[in-house]
Amino acid sequence: MTTGSNLVDGQWVPSASGATFRSVDPAHPTEVLGVFPDSTAQDVAAAVDALEKAAPEWAATPPERRARILERAADALEARADQLITELIREEGKSRAEATTEVSRTPMNLRFYAAEALRSGGSTYPAAGQTMVYTVREPVGIVGAITPWNFPLNIPSRKLGPALAAGNVVLFKPSEVTPLMGQRLVEALLAGGLPPTAIALVQGGGGAGAAVAADDRVTAVTFTGSTDVGAAIHAGVGPQRRVQLEMGGKNPTVVLGDADLDFAATTIVKGAFGLSGQACTGTSRVVVVDEIHDALVKAVVAKASALRLGPGIDDGATMGPLASAAQLAKYREYVSIGVAEGALRHDVDIPVPESDGYFAAPVVFTDTTPDMRIVREEIFGPVLAFQRARDVDDALRIANDTRFGMSAAVITADLGRAMAFAAASKTGLVKVNQPTTGMAMNAPFGGYKASSTQTFKEQAGSSMMQFYQAEKTIYLTPAG
Ligand code: NAD
């Protein structure tokens, strides 16, 4: 069992109150994995006091050195990869293949942002006479990073990496479901040579997160999590501070009449039930034209029945448990809601381990109507709602009929229709003949509508550096 700590002013410390919380293995919830500080506003204030003092020195650290530190942190993660895979499986519940992917992507993110430390400069502009007009990009100050449990290494690395590369100090509040992964990422940064005062780690739940967002000295708040919490954070951050929110989705995969059914079903099952349905880009709706509706439902249910539900630590398992008791309760609630709303429930017939683990078999609903909650609300579990469309135009209208705008996919061999869909989709991500899940680390990533803030929405690629840098314009003219 791990006894975790906060990192405040370069020291590993308990919470000021001494209070703690526990992390458990979602495949065996009676097994306590770790005990971590349950932090309050007092811990957050102490962390911000120390970060304020440390900020000038880190901002003045040459970009080559900042880059080198991030590269060495990536090396440190890779050196510990086997341990991290096991710990990630046990803390969050991923399958081994899913955990291996996340652990290999995280150092790649740090390397990508190491290069941005050297690349993200200002510009010069044409100007009259001897005047030179140019911009410099400066760190914004103290970045508060509040993150979810579903990618507990990968998502924070896409916040801490660019924040530190740009010369900001960071206050990091990981999810209370995956505190160890948060601590491991900070340990890797320190192993890479990051001055321990340039980062603070504050463990705890929503109260600690709210305190991070509420502190006016935290000049930029970057958050990934649920839409309701994001909205509360946004409402509390005034006009003088930056805020970036990545939130929920209700992502459709649209299947057109010419689609290969086997390929479509494989793609849908991967998008809907990968990560046990717990991805912000996960497929939660299938919009399919009438003529292939019934055959596609059959193919998806058959394909999903090849999944093997079990603890990720067992190599045979392709689908792990849900991450928490709250996740399991939410899944069960929405399955009941779907039945009560009159949708037709199709169970995927796979063995569910007989244990107290948070295991949830995939459920498919058909005969839905557009106003049903299972069609409109993010469930964040392995529950998939089918929606019938008359034709291509109807399918596009149904796909866009949601307050969310994270990701959408279309399955078709017709290039013209695929391109028309990409142009008309009201989502930040469009996938053609791919699952709604999955993203390139070097391309922009962020949702439309209620899925993101529409300022600073990018969460990957070079353009996200803009959130972490303030641009100043300088007019330089010789005297006289
Ligand atoms: P959550 O909103 O419950 O928690 C996210 C983080 O916010 C946690 O660290 C939590 O402790 C903290 N928090 C909770 N209440 C807070 C408050 N009042 N003020 C400040 N911080 C607070 O989300 P979750 O259950 O951890 O993650 C699942 C959600 O995350 C889903 O809605 C999913 O769609 C979303 N998500 C989005 C993306 C994306 O890129 N759009 C990626 C992954 C997950």
Side-chain angles (χ1 to χ4, degrees), residues 191-215:
L194 182 70
T197 50
I199 188 161
L201 173 69
V202 177
Q203 299 280 12
V212 171
D215 194 317

mmCIF file with all atom_site columns, all heavy atoms in Angstrom, residues 191-215:
data_model
loop_
_atom_site.group_PDB
_atom_site.id
_atom_site.type_symbol
_atom_site.label_atom_id
_atom_site.label_alt_id
_atom_site.label_comp_id
_atom_site.label_asym_id
_atom_site.label_entity_id
_atom_site.label_seq_id
_atom_site.pdbx_PDB_ins_code
_atom_site.Cartn_x
_atom_site.Cartn_y
_atom_site.Cartn_z
_atom_site.occupancy
_atom_site.B_iso_or_equiv
_atom_site.pdbx_formal_charge
_atom_site.auth_seq_id
_atom_site.auth_comp_id
_atom_site.auth_asym_id
_atom_site.auth_atom_id
_atom_site.pdbx_PDB_model_num
ATOM 1   N N   . ALA A 1 191 ? 12.389  13.811 -11.111 1.00 0.00 ? 191 ALA A N   1
ATOM 2   C CA  . ALA A 1 191 ? 13.524  12.980 -11.527 1.00 0.00 ? 191 ALA A CA  1
ATOM 3   C C   . ALA A 1 191 ? 14.203  13.577 -12.758 1.00 0.00 ? 191 ALA A C   1
ATOM 4   O O   . ALA A 1 191 ? 15.410  13.433 -12.961 1.00 0.00 ? 191 ALA A O   1
ATOM 5   C CB  . ALA A 1 191 ? 13.055  11.552 -11.828 1.00 0.00 ? 191 ALA A CB  1
ATOM 6   N N   . GLY A 1 192 ? 13.423  14.266 -13.576 1.00 0.00 ? 192 GLY A N   1
ATOM 7   C CA  . GLY A 1 192 ? 13.986  14.917 -14.770 1.00 0.00 ? 192 GLY A CA  1
ATOM 8   C C   . GLY A 1 192 ? 14.737  16.185 -14.456 1.00 0.00 ? 192 GLY A C   1
ATOM 9   O O   . GLY A 1 192 ? 15.353  16.772 -15.348 1.00 0.00 ? 192 GLY A O   1
ATOM 10  N N   . GLY A 1 193 ? 14.666  16.646 -13.209 1.00 0.00 ? 193 GLY A N   1
ATOM 11  C CA  . GLY A 1 193 ? 15.430  17.826 -12.813 1.00 0.00 ? 193 GLY A CA  1
ATOM 12  C C   . GLY A 1 193 ? 14.589  19.072 -12.602 1.00 0.00 ? 193 GLY A C   1
ATOM 13  O O   . GLY A 1 193 ? 15.129  20.167 -12.422 1.00 0.00 ? 193 GLY A O   1
ATOM 14  N N   . LEU A 1 194 ? 13.264  18.952 -12.605 1.00 0.00 ? 194 LEU A N   1
ATOM 15  C CA  . LEU A 1 194 ? 12.420  20.130 -12.352 1.00 0.00 ? 194 LEU A CA  1
ATOM 16  C C   . LEU A 1 194 ? 12.666  20.602 -10.914 1.00 0.00 ? 194 LEU A C   1
ATOM 17  O O   . LEU A 1 194 ? 12.614  19.791 -9.982  1.00 0.00 ? 194 LEU A O   1
ATOM 18  C CB  . LEU A 1 194 ? 10.938  19.757 -12.526 1.00 0.00 ? 194 LEU A CB  1
ATOM 19  C CG  . LEU A 1 194 ? 9.947   20.915 -12.343 1.00 0.00 ? 194 LEU A CG  1
ATOM 20  C CD1 . LEU A 1 194 ? 10.061  21.913 -13.502 1.00 0.00 ? 194 LEU A CD1 1
ATOM 21  C CD2 . LEU A 1 194 ? 8.510   20.389 -12.254 1.00 0.00 ? 194 LEU A CD2 1
ATOM 22  N N   . PRO A 1 195 ? 12.935  21.898 -10.726 1.00 0.00 ? 195 PRO A N   1
ATOM 23  C CA  . PRO A 1 195 ? 13.079  22.380 -9.338  1.00 0.00 ? 195 PRO A CA  1
ATOM 24  C C   . PRO A 1 195 ? 11.801  22.064 -8.565  1.00 0.00 ? 195 PRO A C   1
ATOM 25  O O   . PRO A 1 195 ? 10.700  22.368 -9.047  1.00 0.00 ? 195 PRO A O   1
ATOM 26  C CB  . PRO A 1 195 ? 13.250  23.894 -9.510  1.00 0.00 ? 195 PRO A CB  1
ATOM 27  C CG  . PRO A 1 195 ? 13.670  24.103 -10.924 1.00 0.00 ? 195 PRO A CG  1
ATOM 28  C CD  . PRO A 1 195 ? 13.091  22.972 -11.717 1.00 0.00 ? 195 PRO A CD  1
ATOM 29  N N   . PRO A 1 196 ? 11.911  21.420 -7.409  1.00 0.00 ? 196 PRO A N   1
ATOM 30  C CA  . PRO A 1 196 ? 10.699  20.961 -6.718  1.00 0.00 ? 196 PRO A CA  1
ATOM 31  C C   . PRO A 1 196 ? 9.773   22.090 -6.284  1.00 0.00 ? 196 PRO A C   1
ATOM 32  O O   . PRO A 1 196 ? 8.611   21.845 -5.962  1.00 0.00 ? 196 PRO A O   1
ATOM 33  C CB  . PRO A 1 196 ? 11.227  20.178 -5.515  1.00 0.00 ? 196 PRO A CB  1
ATOM 34  C CG  . PRO A 1 196 ? 12.686  20.361 -5.487  1.00 0.00 ? 196 PRO A CG  1
ATOM 35  C CD  . PRO A 1 196 ? 13.151  20.978 -6.757  1.00 0.00 ? 196 PRO A CD  1
ATOM 36  N N   . THR A 1 197 ? 10.266  23.333 -6.288  1.00 0.00 ? 197 THR A N   1
ATOM 37  C CA  . THR A 1 197 ? 9.379   24.450 -5.936  1.00 0.00 ? 197 THR A CA  1
ATOM 38  C C   . THR A 1 197 ? 8.581   24.949 -7.144  1.00 0.00 ? 197 THR A C   1
ATOM 39  O O   . THR A 1 197 ? 7.682   25.766 -7.000  1.00 0.00 ? 197 THR A O   1
ATOM 40  C CB  . THR A 1 197 ? 10.201  25.630 -5.379  1.00 0.00 ? 197 THR A CB  1
ATOM 41  O OG1 . THR A 1 197 ? 11.278  25.876 -6.294  1.00 0.00 ? 197 THR A OG1 1
ATOM 42  C CG2 . THR A 1 197 ? 10.741  25.330 -3.998  1.00 0.00 ? 197 THR A CG2 1
ATOM 43  N N   . ALA A 1 198 ? 8.910   24.444 -8.363  1.00 0.00 ? 198 ALA A N   1
ATOM 44  C CA  . ALA A 1 198 ? 8.208   24.927 -9.567  1.00 0.00 ? 198 ALA A CA  1
ATOM 45  C C   . ALA A 1 198 ? 6.882   24.212 -9.788  1.00 0.00 ? 198 ALA A C   1
ATOM 46  O O   . ALA A 1 198 ? 6.116   24.575 -10.677 1.00 0.00 ? 198 ALA A O   1
ATOM 47  C CB  . ALA A 1 198 ? 9.101   24.763 -10.790 1.00 0.00 ? 198 ALA A CB  1
ATOM 48  N N   . ILE A 1 199 ? 6.628   23.189 -8.978  1.00 0.00 ? 199 ILE A N   1
ATOM 49  C CA  . ILE A 1 199 ? 5.353   22.463 -9.110  1.00 0.00 ? 199 ILE A CA  1
ATOM 50  C C   . ILE A 1 199 ? 4.812   22.163 -7.719  1.00 0.00 ? 199 ILE A C   1
ATOM 51  O O   . ILE A 1 199 ? 5.582   21.897 -6.790  1.00 0.00 ? 199 ILE A O   1
ATOM 52  C CB  . ILE A 1 199 ? 5.525   21.168 -9.950  1.00 0.00 ? 199 ILE A CB  1
ATOM 53  C CG1 . ILE A 1 199 ? 4.151   20.554 -10.229 1.00 0.00 ? 199 ILE A CG1 1
ATOM 54  C CG2 . ILE A 1 199 ? 6.449   20.161 -9.265  1.00 0.00 ? 199 ILE A CG2 1
ATOM 55  C CD1 . ILE A 1 199 ? 4.159   19.591 -11.395 1.00 0.00 ? 199 ILE A CD1 1
ATOM 56  N N   . ALA A 1 200 ? 3.511   22.238 -7.560  1.00 0.00 ? 200 ALA A N   1
ATOM 57  C CA  . ALA A 1 200 ? 2.882   21.811 -6.312  1.00 0.00 ? 200 ALA A CA  1
ATOM 58  C C   . ALA A 1 200 ? 1.854   20.747 -6.659  1.00 0.00 ? 200 ALA A C   1
ATOM 59  O O   . ALA A 1 200 ? 1.150   20.850 -7.672  1.00 0.00 ? 200 ALA A O   1
ATOM 60  C CB  . ALA A 1 200 ? 2.209   22.990 -5.620  1.00 0.00 ? 200 ALA A CB  1
ATOM 61  N N   . LEU A 1 201 ? 1.790   19.718 -5.826  1.00 0.00 ? 201 LEU A N   1
ATOM 62  C CA  . LEU A 1 201 ? 0.795   18.651 -5.977  1.00 0.00 ? 201 LEU A CA  1
ATOM 63  C C   . LEU A 1 201 ? -0.120  18.717 -4.764  1.00 0.00 ? 201 LEU A C   1
ATOM 64  O O   . LEU A 1 201 ? 0.359   18.665 -3.622  1.00 0.00 ? 201 LEU A O   1
ATOM 65  C CB  . LEU A 1 201 ? 1.496   17.292 -6.039  1.00 0.00 ? 201 LEU A CB  1
ATOM 66  C CG  . LEU A 1 201 ? 0.579   16.066 -6.018  1.00 0.00 ? 201 LEU A CG  1
ATOM 67  C CD1 . LEU A 1 201 ? -0.228  15.950 -7.313  1.00 0.00 ? 201 LEU A CD1 1
ATOM 68  C CD2 . LEU A 1 201 ? 1.401   14.785 -5.806  1.00 0.00 ? 201 LEU A CD2 1
ATOM 69  N N   . VAL A 1 202 ? -1.408  18.867 -5.021  1.00 0.00 ? 202 VAL A N   1
ATOM 70  C CA  . VAL A 1 202 ? -2.379  18.912 -3.922  1.00 0.00 ? 202 VAL A CA  1
ATOM 71  C C   . VAL A 1 202 ? -3.424  17.841 -4.196  1.00 0.00 ? 202 VAL A C   1
ATOM 72  O O   . VAL A 1 202 ? -4.185  17.932 -5.158  1.00 0.00 ? 202 VAL A O   1
ATOM 73  C CB  . VAL A 1 202 ? -3.019  20.313 -3.820  1.00 0.00 ? 202 VAL A CB  1
ATOM 74  C CG1 . VAL A 1 202 ? -4.072  20.324 -2.730  1.00 0.00 ? 202 VAL A CG1 1
ATOM 75  C CG2 . VAL A 1 202 ? -1.966  21.358 -3.518  1.00 0.00 ? 202 VAL A CG2 1
ATOM 76  N N   . GLN A 1 203 ? -3.433  16.816 -3.357  1.00 0.00 ? 203 GLN A N   1
ATOM 77  C CA  . GLN A 1 203 ? -4.372  15.711 -3.537  1.00 0.00 ? 203 GLN A CA  1
ATOM 78  C C   . GLN A 1 203 ? -5.692  16.022 -2.848  1.00 0.00 ? 203 GLN A C   1
ATOM 79  O O   . GLN A 1 203 ? -5.725  16.786 -1.876  1.00 0.00 ? 203 GLN A O   1
ATOM 80  C CB  . GLN A 1 203 ? -3.797  14.423 -2.949  1.00 0.00 ? 203 GLN A CB  1
ATOM 81  C CG  . GLN A 1 203 ? -2.495  13.961 -3.571  1.00 0.00 ? 203 GLN A CG  1
ATOM 82  C CD  . GLN A 1 203 ? -2.693  13.227 -4.900  1.00 0.00 ? 203 GLN A CD  1
ATOM 83  O OE1 . GLN A 1 203 ? -3.789  13.243 -5.492  1.00 0.00 ? 203 GLN A OE1 1
ATOM 84  N NE2 . GLN A 1 203 ? -1.646  12.580 -5.379  1.00 0.00 ? 203 GLN A NE2 1
ATOM 85  N N   . GLY A 1 204 ? -6.771  15.403 -3.338  1.00 0.00 ? 204 GLY A N   1
ATOM 86  C CA  . GLY A 1 204 ? -8.060  15.591 -2.688  1.00 0.00 ? 204 GLY A CA  1
ATOM 87  C C   . GLY A 1 204 ? -9.189  15.595 -3.694  1.00 0.00 ? 204 GLY A C   1
ATOM 88  O O   . GLY A 1 204 ? -8.980  15.338 -4.886  1.00 0.00 ? 204 GLY A O   1
ATOM 89  N N   . GLY A 1 205 ? -10.376 15.910 -3.216  1.00 0.00 ? 205 GLY A N   1
ATOM 90  C CA  . GLY A 1 205 ? -11.563 15.850 -4.064  1.00 0.00 ? 205 GLY A CA  1
ATOM 91  C C   . GLY A 1 205 ? -11.993 17.204 -4.586  1.00 0.00 ? 205 GLY A C   1
ATOM 92  O O   . GLY A 1 205 ? -11.179 18.113 -4.783  1.00 0.00 ? 205 GLY A O   1
ATOM 93  N N   . GLY A 1 206 ? -13.323 17.336 -4.792  1.00 0.00 ? 206 GLY A N   1
ATOM 94  C CA  . GLY A 1 206 ? -13.867 18.549 -5.395  1.00 0.00 ? 206 GLY A CA  1
ATOM 95  C C   . GLY A 1 206 ? -13.583 19.805 -4.582  1.00 0.00 ? 206 GLY A C   1
ATOM 96  O O   . GLY A 1 206 ? -13.405 20.887 -5.149  1.00 0.00 ? 206 GLY A O   1
ATOM 97  N N   . GLY A 1 207 ? -13.504 19.673 -3.260  1.00 0.00 ? 207 GLY A N   1
ATOM 98  C CA  . GLY A 1 207 ? -13.236 20.841 -2.420  1.00 0.00 ? 207 GLY A CA  1
ATOM 99  C C   . GLY A 1 207 ? -11.862 21.423 -2.728  1.00 0.00 ? 207 GLY A C   1
ATOM 100 O O   . GLY A 1 207 ? -11.697 22.646 -2.851  1.00 0.00 ? 207 GLY A O   1
ATOM 101 N N   . ALA A 1 208 ? -10.879 20.533 -2.865  1.00 0.00 ? 208 ALA A N   1
ATOM 102 C CA  . ALA A 1 208 ? -9.523  20.999 -3.198  1.00 0.00 ? 208 ALA A CA  1
ATOM 103 C C   . ALA A 1 208 ? -9.519  21.619 -4.597  1.00 0.00 ? 208 ALA A C   1
ATOM 104 O O   . ALA A 1 208 ? -8.899  22.660 -4.829  1.00 0.00 ? 208 ALA A O   1
ATOM 105 C CB  . ALA A 1 208 ? -8.537  19.831 -3.113  1.00 0.00 ? 208 ALA A CB  1
ATOM 106 N N   . GLY A 1 209 ? -10.244 20.983 -5.527  1.00 0.00 ? 209 GLY A N   1
ATOM 107 C CA  . GLY A 1 209 ? -10.324 21.531 -6.894  1.00 0.00 ? 209 GLY A CA  1
ATOM 108 C C   . GLY A 1 209 ? -10.963 22.911 -6.889  1.00 0.00 ? 209 GLY A C   1
ATOM 109 O O   . GLY A 1 209 ? -10.467 23.844 -7.546  1.00 0.00 ? 209 GLY A O   1
ATOM 110 N N   . ALA A 1 210 ? -12.039 23.057 -6.124  1.00 0.00 ? 210 ALA A N   1
ATOM 111 C CA  . ALA A 1 210 ? -12.723 24.351 -6.069  1.00 0.00 ? 210 ALA A CA  1
ATOM 112 C C   . ALA A 1 210 ? -11.803 25.419 -5.495  1.00 0.00 ? 210 ALA A C   1
ATOM 113 O O   . ALA A 1 210 ? -11.812 26.573 -5.944  1.00 0.00 ? 210 ALA A O   1
ATOM 114 C CB  . ALA A 1 210 ? -13.999 24.222 -5.241  1.00 0.00 ? 210 ALA A CB  1
ATOM 115 N N   . ALA A 1 211 ? -10.976 25.036 -4.508  1.00 0.00 ? 211 ALA A N   1
ATOM 116 C CA  . ALA A 1 211 ? -10.049 26.009 -3.914  1.00 0.00 ? 211 ALA A CA  1
ATOM 117 C C   . ALA A 1 211 ? -8.983  26.441 -4.929  1.00 0.00 ? 211 ALA A C   1
ATOM 118 O O   . ALA A 1 211 ? -8.585  27.603 -4.956  1.00 0.00 ? 211 ALA A O   1
ATOM 119 C CB  . ALA A 1 211 ? -9.395  25.411 -2.670  1.00 0.00 ? 211 ALA A CB  1
ATOM 120 N N   . VAL A 1 212 ? -8.544  25.521 -5.764  1.00 0.00 ? 212 VAL A N   1
ATOM 121 C CA  . VAL A 1 212 ? -7.574  25.868 -6.824  1.00 0.00 ? 212 VAL A CA  1
ATOM 122 C C   . VAL A 1 212 ? -8.202  26.898 -7.762  1.00 0.00 ? 212 VAL A C   1
ATOM 123 O O   . VAL A 1 212 ? -7.615  27.930 -8.089  1.00 0.00 ? 212 VAL A O   1
ATOM 124 C CB  . VAL A 1 212 ? -7.146  24.609 -7.626  1.00 0.00 ? 212 VAL A CB  1
ATOM 125 C CG1 . VAL A 1 212 ? -6.326  24.999 -8.855  1.00 0.00 ? 212 VAL A CG1 1
ATOM 126 C CG2 . VAL A 1 212 ? -6.377  23.637 -6.739  1.00 0.00 ? 212 VAL A CG2 1
ATOM 127 N N   . ALA A 1 213 ? -9.431  26.610 -8.181  1.00 0.00 ? 213 ALA A N   1
ATOM 128 C CA  . ALA A 1 213 ? -10.096 27.507 -9.141  1.00 0.00 ? 213 ALA A CA  1
ATOM 129 C C   . ALA A 1 213 ? -10.432 28.855 -8.518  1.00 0.00 ? 213 ALA A C   1
ATOM 130 O O   . ALA A 1 213 ? -10.486 29.869 -9.211  1.00 0.00 ? 213 ALA A O   1
ATOM 131 C CB  . ALA A 1 213 ? -11.361 26.836 -9.668  1.00 0.00 ? 213 ALA A CB  1
ATOM 132 N N   . ALA A 1 214 ? -10.649 28.868 -7.192  1.00 0.00 ? 214 ALA A N   1
ATOM 133 C CA  . ALA A 1 214 ? -11.105 30.105 -6.534  1.00 0.00 ? 214 ALA A CA  1
ATOM 134 C C   . ALA A 1 214 ? -9.971  31.070 -6.221  1.00 0.00 ? 214 ALA A C   1
ATOM 135 O O   . ALA A 1 214 ? -10.216 32.250 -5.981  1.00 0.00 ? 214 ALA A O   1
ATOM 136 C CB  . ALA A 1 214 ? -11.844 29.752 -5.239  1.00 0.00 ? 214 ALA A CB  1
ATOM 137 N N   . ASP A 1 215 ? -8.729  30.590 -6.226  1.00 0.00 ? 215 ASP A N   1
ATOM 138 C CA  . ASP A 1 215 ? -7.614  31.452 -5.811  1.00 0.00 ? 215 ASP A CA  1
ATOM 139 C C   . ASP A 1 215 ? -7.228  32.400 -6.953  1.00 0.00 ? 215 ASP A C   1
ATOM 140 O O   . ASP A 1 215 ? -6.756  31.963 -8.002  1.00 0.00 ? 215 ASP A O   1
ATOM 141 C CB  . ASP A 1 215 ? -6.413  30.577 -5.398  1.00 0.00 ? 215 ASP A CB  1
ATOM 142 C CG  . ASP A 1 215 ? -5.373  31.376 -4.639  1.00 0.00 ? 215 ASP A CG  1
ATOM 143 O OD1 . ASP A 1 215 ? -5.065  32.520 -5.056  1.00 0.00 ? 215 ASP A OD1 1
ATOM 144 O OD2 . ASP A 1 215 ? -4.868  30.869 -3.622  1.00 0.00 ? 215 ASP A OD2 1
#
